[in-house]
Every structure is written in structure tokens, then in C-alpha cells.
């Protein structure tokens, strides 16, 4: 029997609620299949930062390296720890240290969910570059506090970095509806984004079976609302992908539905699975967070680990619950009610 070592990082706010829910469902699924999950829980969070002065221990990355996968809830508690400290002390270093360069974020309506647009069925796979671009961290501040203060933050686009994410996107399109929308802002940003467009054309030449459409980020934002069903794979830089995937979450019914996988495609380091949303301080502690985004991320994790059948059963159980109206509207059901409905649907499958 396969046993997967799982690093579980609930993090802050609703992160604990949604990872508890996901683990309950994933473990119930594992029991029905020929594999086991061996989770180890880490208290790395803003609470830990306030106690110890660090979001994670010095050897945190080395500790995580020994796991088959990481399941993360959410990081951030801006009331007590600045986001620039907490995210750069935990979430972002993991993505970069393990070179999880492909951030996969699916957006579609689950059965029974209408979403605010009441759009006809759409199925978008956003592929977000996850290690460089606008998140490179290159830059600095000079003359702090003086009138002539300057802040510089440089987006870095490397040929290797851009090419690999584009290839990843085209490979995904091959297994889907064969269309890639490559998002830039090359009408205004004339170096990096023109370079991205050129790389798109170059990579596209290797995929004659895939159609490609370059699109500017502003037009893309409108298209996701006006004609989401016309989109298949969408590939974008780190920041553009970040923004578009909250928009994607919105059109699929809310942040409680949007799943994500931070993938190291060559599997030489663990990949990390987490919902798109954050710690939701406005609803934390009230037991009403929608766990579906995290459960879906957990299904993506099972799929990545090679347990495709179990992953499909988790997705079917989620949709059995939503098709009965459970969790389909914000605030309609508690975290626990949604979790129990998914567990019941898993039981019914047996
Ligand atoms: P957020 O995603 O936490 O919340 C935005 C809105 O969506 C809130 O109204 C919230 O209640 C709602 N929401 C989010 N998840 C939900 C769920 N599962 N069920 C129901 N409603 C949900 O974004 P924010 O408020 O901008 O950020 C809060 C903190 O989280 C900040 O510290 C931010 O930096 C951090 N953050 C972390 C991650 C991450 O860890 N991956 C992602 C985004 C934001
Ligand atoms: C996300 C989040 C993070 C990001 C933040 C919290 C740094 O918004 O995963 O979408 O921008 O990548
Ligand atoms: Mn985001």
C-alpha cells in the first residue's frame, strides 16, 4: 500500500477550518482506496511569528523537502503582522525554494452553482507563472522617510522561466480543448511583455495542434466576465495570474470555490496545494468558511500523487453536495455542514 507523507500547514484565520475539513474528506477517501495519508501538522503562522519572531523555523524548507506534498490553508493576519512579512516568511519562499513554477488554477461552475453571472458552462484552466515576473523580489528603497524617497520593484522575465510556463500551458491545452490565451500588456510594457509575446509565438510553433490568442490583460478581464465560455487555457505572468484568478473565483461563485496547485513538474521537490483565497479575517472563527476550494485542491493533490480515481471521487462527492444546494451560496451552510455533506456523498458512492 502506498503511503504519502503530507506536510499540513493550516496557517492563519480560516486556514485551520478549511484544512481540517479537507483532511477529513481526504482521509475518508484514502480509507476506501489502497493508499494512506500520513499528515504531519506544522503550526507555521502569524501566531508563531508573534511568539518566536519567525513564520517558520530556519530549516523549514529543508524539513518540507522530505514530504510527498504540502497542503496549505492560508497565510496572513494583517492586523498583527504585516503581509510583507508573513507572506515572505512562509508562502512565497516555499513556492520559490521548490521551484513550483506552474500554478494551476481551474475555474468552472460546480453542479448546482450559478455564480453571479449565471453564465453558461465555462471551464478555464489558468496557468500562472509562479516564481519570477512581478514577484521576483528584485528592488529596494532608498532615502527612506525623506522627501526624495524612491521605491523600485523590478519584474524579472527570464527566457527559461517564460518558456517553461508557456510549454506547460500548451501541454495542458493539448489534453483539453486545444486553445491557449496568452495574457500580457505588451501595448504598454514594451520590454518584458513584448518578450513574452515573442516567446508565445515561438513555443506555439511547436504545437501546431493548439490554437493561440495573445490578449492584453485589460481586455482579458472583460472577456472573463463577458464570454468566459470562449476560454480554455489561460497563461499569464505571476501578478496578472494572481489577479485574474480572483476574478475567476468570483465568476465561479466566490473565493470559497477556487482551488490551486503549485507544481514542480519534474517532481524533484514537493508540490503545494492550497485554495486561492486567503485567511479571510472578516469571517474567521465563525465556522462559515467554504471548505470546497481546499477540498478541491486536495483532489488536485491526490491526482498529482497518482491517485486519479480517488481524486475523481472527491470531485464527484463535492458536486453531489453542491447539486443538492449545499454550499452553493455564500453563508448558506456552515463549514461543518458542507464537510458532512461531502462525506455523506462519499459514503453513498460506496
Ligand atoms: P481573502 O481571500 O482572505 O478574503 C477576501 C474575501 O473573500 C473576504 O470577504 C472573505 O471573507 C472571502 N472568502 C475568502 N475565502 C473564503 C471562503 N473559503 N469561504 C467564504 N468566504 C471566503 O483576501 P484578503 O482579505 O485580501 O486577505 C486576507 C489575508 O490573507 C491577508 O493577510 C492576505 O495577504 C492573505 N492572503 C493569503 C493567501 C494565501 O495564503 N494563499 C491568499 C490571499 C490572501
Ligand atoms: C495567492 C495570494 C498570494 C499571491 C499572496 C498572499 C502573496 O494572493 O496565492 O493568490 O499573490 O500569490
Ligand atoms: Mn491571490
Amino acid at each position: 500500500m502506498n503511503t504519502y507523507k503530507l506536510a499540513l500547514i493550516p496557517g492563519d484565520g480560516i486556514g485551520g477550518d478549511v484544512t481540517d475539513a479537507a483532511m477529513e474528506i481526504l482521509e475518508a477517501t484514502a480509507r476506501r482506496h489502497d493508499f494512506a495519508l500520513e499528515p504531519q501538522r506544522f503550526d507555521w503562522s502569524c501566531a508563531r511569528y508573534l511568539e518566536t519572531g519567525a513564520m517558520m523555523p530556519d530549516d523549514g524548507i529543508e524539513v518540507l523537502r522530505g514530504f510527498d506534498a504540502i497542503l496549505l490553508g492560508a497565510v496572513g493576519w494583517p492586523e498583527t503582522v504585516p503581509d510583507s512579512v508573513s507572506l515572505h516568511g512562509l508562502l512565497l519562499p516555499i513556492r520559490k525554494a521548490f521551484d513550483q513554477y506552474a500554478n494551476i488554477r481551474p475555474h468552472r461552475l460546480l453542479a448546482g452553482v450559478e455564480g453571479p453571472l449565471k453564465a453558461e458552462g465555462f471551464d478555464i484552466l489558468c496557468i500562472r507563472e509562479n516564481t519570477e515576473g512581478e514577484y521576483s523580489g528584485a528592488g529596494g528603497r532608498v532615502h527612506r522617510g525623506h522627501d526624495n524617497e524612491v521605491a523600485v520593484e523590478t519584474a524579472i522575465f527570464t527566457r527559461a522561466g517564460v518558456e517553461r510556463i508557456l510549454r506547460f500551458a500548451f501541454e495542458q491545452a493539448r489534453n483539453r480543448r486545444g486553445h491557449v490565451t496568452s495574457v500580457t500588456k505588451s501595448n504598454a510594457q514594451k520590454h518584458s511583455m513584448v518578450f513574452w509575446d515573442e516567446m508565445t509565438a515561438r513555443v506555439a510553433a511547436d504545437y501546431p495542434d493548439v490554437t493561440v490568442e495573445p490578449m492584453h490583460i485589460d481586455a482579458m478581464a472583460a472577456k472573463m466576465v463577458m464570454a468566459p465560455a470562449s476560454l480554455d487555457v489561460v497563461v499569464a505572468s505571476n501578478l496578472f495570474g494572481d489577479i485574474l484568478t480572483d476574478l475567476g473565483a468570483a465568476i465561479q461563485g466566490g473565493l470559497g470555490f477556487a482551488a490551486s496547485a503549485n507544481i514542480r513538474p519534474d517532481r524533484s521537490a514537493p508540490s503545494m496545494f492550497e485554495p486561492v483565497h486567503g485567511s479571510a479575517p472578516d469571517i474567521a472563527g465563525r465556522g462559515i468558511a467554504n471548505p470546497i476550494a481546499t477540498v478541491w485542491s486536495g483532489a488536485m493533490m491526490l491526482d498529482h500523487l497518482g491517485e486519479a480515481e480517488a481524486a475523481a471521487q472527491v470531485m464527484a462527492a463535492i458536486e453531489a453536495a453542491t447539486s443538492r444546494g449545499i454550499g452553493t451560496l455564500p453563508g448558506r451552510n456552515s463549514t461543518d455542514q458542507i464537510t458532512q455533506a461531502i462525506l455523506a456523498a462519499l459514503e453513498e458512492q460506496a
Side-chain angles (χ1 to χ4, degrees), residues 4-8 64 66-71 270-273 301 304-305:
Y4 303 107
K5 285 181 66 189
L6 198 63
L8 182 63
L64 293 179
F67 287 83
D68 295 310
I70 304 162
L71 184 70
S271 292
M272 175 166 65
F273 302 81
M301 180 178 77
H304 179 78
L305 291 170

Side-chain angles (χ1 to χ4, degrees), residues 75-94:
V75 181
W77 200 254
E79 200 182 298
T80 53
V81 183
D83 280 348
S84 58
V85 171
S86 57
L87 277 314
H88 288 272
L90 183 52
L91 178 73
L92 297 171
I94 297 174

